[in-house]
Amino acid sequence: MLASRLRVAAVATACAAVLTSVAACGAVDKAVDKAVDEQIGQDVEKEMKKYEETAYQVTYEVTGGAVDSIAYDDASHEGSVEVPAADGKAPKLPWRKTVTLKGSAAPTVLAVVAEGGGEVTCSVTYQGRQLTKRTAKGGFETAQCVAMSPQK
């Protein structure tokens, strides 16, 4: 009888130790998960910052008949930049401009067809590869070229 009680007590003690270990493992598991999540978050944040600061160049081009106006985005201005008219007249075509953008900035150029109508085409090129090309026909119609950032 004494042996049986000792055996029960030993089993109970062993089970209690196992349960304590399991509980401790759960706490350790949670602590490890939290540390890993924090590290991953810091790594992702660091990579995103690096990505957003990485510069790239695209070339905007507008061709065709006459335009009323041209506007484009670049990293040196907030918002879009309008191409100034020469001697009070609309910009001359063909028009081309290479600009520097950063990170996820979407390369954007638009051209408005002159009042008299005609056809105007805009395009965005990155490292010799055309990202987008659009054409507009008719007075005051707009060719809008907006591309995803080519940064990977």
Side-chain angles (χ1 to χ4, degrees), residues 48-98:
M48 286 301 296
K49 185 175 181 181
K50 185 171 121 181
Y51 173 79
E52 288 300 326
E53 291 175 355
T54 301
Y56 66 95
Q57 289 189 324
V58 294
T59 300
Y60 299 135
E61 188 169 8
V62 177
T63 59
V67 293
D68 183 63
S69 62
I70 298 171
Y72 64 92
D73 287 342
D74 74 11
S76 65
H77 298 86
E78 284 191 29
S80 61
V81 178
E82 193 156 338
V83 177
D87 300 328
K89 297 179 182 176
K92 294 185 181 198
L93 300 183
W95 174 86
R96 177 182 276 226
K97 175 93 175 165
T98 299

Side-chain angles (χ1 to χ4, degrees), residues 10-133:
V11 168
T13 303
C15 286
V18 168
L19 290 175
T20 302
S21 294
V22 169
C25 285
V28 168
D29 186 44
K30 286 180 184 177
V32 167
D33 280 349
K34 182 179 177 189
V36 167
D37 289 347
E38 287 174 1
Q39 184 61 48
I40 289 172
Q42 291 170 0
D43 291 348
V44 167
E45 187 177 315
K46 188 167 93 175
E47 286 300 312
M48 286 301 296
K49 185 175 181 181
K50 185 171 121 181
Y51 173 79
E52 288 300 326
E53 291 175 355
T54 301
Y56 66 95
Q57 289 189 324
V58 294
T59 300
Y60 299 135
E61 188 169 8
V62 177
T63 59
V67 293
D68 183 63
S69 62
I70 298 171
Y72 64 92
D73 287 342
D74 74 11
S76 65
H77 298 86
E78 284 191 29
S80 61
V81 178
E82 193 156 338
V83 177
D87 300 328
K89 297 179 182 176
K92 294 185 181 198
L93 300 183
W95 174 86
R96 177 182 276 226
K97 175 93 175 165
T98 299
V99 299
T100 299
L101 298 172
K102 290 183 178 181
S104 61
T108 305
V109 62
L110 60 91
V112 178
V113 179
E115 181 178 4
E119 181 176 298
V120 171
T121 299
C122 64
S123 65
V124 178
T125 304
Y126 171 72
Q127 296 182 344
R129 181 175 50 111
Q130 192 172 75
L131 300 178
T132 185
K133 181 178 181 178

